[in-house]
Structure formats: structure tokens, C-alpha cells
């Protein structure tokens, strides 16, 4: 299976969600997922954009097993999961409401513990 599986057409405005190796099994073996950003909401430049919550909602529809590892039943990001947009922690931005623009890379980082 292609590691860079697409959830959208290659030419569509999209962001790339990078899944950590610990969660790839819940994403059908895929580590890079393109998520469409087509939206009635556009930036001043006319580019489509969506809040991170909507990007995760779209991802959840395509890969529900992965969703359960990222957010809880209320839609809150789980405590052991960190999310970065273009290298910046969403807690330093607008949290789950942070706007994602075409070409952005969303990294999902799941804390792993062991002994």
C-alpha cells in the first residue's frame, strides 16, 4: 500500500496529516494522509482554510480507528497526544480552533511510556 495514501484528489487544496509510527496501524498502515480543506470559509487571500477541529472531523470520517486515539468522546484532544501545525504546538496557537491552510503539515505526536 502507498504510504502517502490520499483522502483527497492530489490537486485539491489540502493539508497533510502525519501519523506517528505507533498509530500507523490504526490509519490503515498509512503515515501521511491528505485532508481536503475546501470550505465556504476563505482567508483574505481567497485560499481555503479550516479550523483544526474540522480537519480532524474529516480525518475521523475516513479513519475512525485513528480518531479514537486522538480525541475523546467530547472531541477534546487526549492528554497524551500533542499536535503541531508546521512545527508549532497548537497550544501556542489557537488550540483546536487553529486555522489550517493548504500545504500545512499537521503532526500528531502520541506520547509513549514504558519501563
Amino acid at each position: 500500500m502507498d504510504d502517502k495514501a490520499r483522502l483527497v484528489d492530489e490537486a485539491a487544496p489540502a493539508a497533510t496529516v502525519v501519523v506517528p509510527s505507533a498509530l500507523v496501524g490504526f490509519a490503515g498502515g498509512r503515515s501521511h494522509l491528505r485532508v481536503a480543506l475546501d470550505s465556504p470559509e476563505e482567508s483574505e487571500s481567497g485560499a481555503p482554510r479550516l479550523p483544526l477541529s474540522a480537519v480532524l472531523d474529516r480525518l475521523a470520517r475516513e479513519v475512525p480507528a485513528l480518531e479514537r486515539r486522538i480525541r475523546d468522546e467530547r472531541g477534546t484532544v487526549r492528554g497524551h497526544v500533542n499536535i503541531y501545525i508546521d512545527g508549532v504546538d497548537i497550544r501556542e496557537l489557537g488550540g483546536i480552533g487553529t486555522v489550517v491552510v493548504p500545504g500545512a503539515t499537521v503532526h500528531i505526536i502520541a506520547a509513549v511510556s514504558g519501563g
Side-chain angles (χ1 to χ4, degrees), residues 4 6 12 14 21 37 55 74-75 85 88 92 96-97 108:
K4 293 196 176 197
R6 287 172 261 139
S21 58
L37 296 179
V55 171
R74 298 175 314 223
I85 298 175
V88 181
E92 296 176 21
I96 201 82
I108 299 170

Side-chain angles (χ1 to χ4, degrees), residues 39-55:
S39 162
E41 184 178 346
E42 294 184 354
S43 67
E44 292 175 13
S45 67
R49 62 186 187 149
L50 283 177
L52 177 60
S53 59
V55 171

Side-chain angles (χ1 to χ4, degrees), residues 35-90:
V35 178
L37 296 179
D38 54 331
S39 162
E41 184 178 346
E42 294 184 354
S43 67
E44 292 175 13
S45 67
R49 62 186 187 149
L50 283 177
L52 177 60
S53 59
V55 171
L56 295 176
D57 289 345
R58 289 180 178 191
L59 185 64
R61 284 192 294 276
E62 298 294 328
V63 210
L66 180 61
E67 162 69 5
R68 292 187 291 274
R69 274 60 186 187
I70 299 172
R71 297 190 290 183
D72 63 20
E73 307 75 36
R74 298 175 314 223
T76 303
V77 175
R78 294 187 182 278
H80 65 280
V81 173
N82 296 307
I83 300 177
Y84 294 81
I85 298 175
D86 292 332
V88 181
D89 191 324
I90 63 167

